[in-house]
Amino acid sequence: MAKYPLIKTTLKDRLLGGHYAEGLPLPSEPQLAREFEVSRMTARRAIDELEREGYVYRVQGAGTFPTGKRFRQGMFRVRPFKEWARHPEHRTTVLRAMQIEATPEIAIVLQLQPGDPVIFIHRLRTAGDEALVIEKRYINAALVPSLLDHNLGTESIHETMVSMGVPLARVEQNLEAVNLRQEEADLLRVPLGTAAFLLRRTTYSGAVRASYVNYWVRGDRYAFQDTFEP
């Protein structure tokens, strides 16, 4: 099983917990490789992902530094897919929809074993001529083996799962600001490194993790808003 997800999670917990002082570099890649008993390439992959997610930044010749603690604040809701889809200018394009084997990192998130069947759905939402949202979703295939028979360009995946006998009880979500990689920047037709929102959502059916999804949302076209009682 790949070790870099464990390294990434451990380092993220340390960063959020203030283990590494701001203004001072993290341990070097060779030091991390020795600590976790992995290759330097594996340690670099964990650091690369933390950098992409905005937890650290690199300074040539000086090392890798924490960007500072991320504070958890408030709550927010995301409009259901059916509300998005009913607008006449809104479109959802299915880029890929297939059954794959769970990678080590997806297996950890969905509490599966590496190689277990997972449904992967990659969609792009557009409004008129503008690409706005990228979606990459991973679903425990054992729960909804016939999901790929549905029209995933027009149907709500959550509502389809419920109709197939998978009640969805709880959602955990996290919203962060990131800089787009080349793949996402190309799909959204913006320059590499453009700031965007990254929304991660894990949906449970009972105690089982049924679905995990990443949304990359254009920061220049979206604002998150909520109303609640103080």
Side-chain angles (χ1 to χ4, degrees), residues 22-24 26 50-51 54-59 63-68:
E22 294 184 37
L24 296 178
L26 273 64
L50 290 172
E51 182 182 29
Y55 289 95
V56 299
Y57 64 95
R58 286 184 168 102
V59 177
T64 302
F65 296 81
T67 56

Side-chain angles (χ1 to χ4, degrees), residues 9 42 45 97 118 164 190 223:
T9 300
T42 299
R45 184 175 180 185
V118 170
M164 297 173 69
V190 296

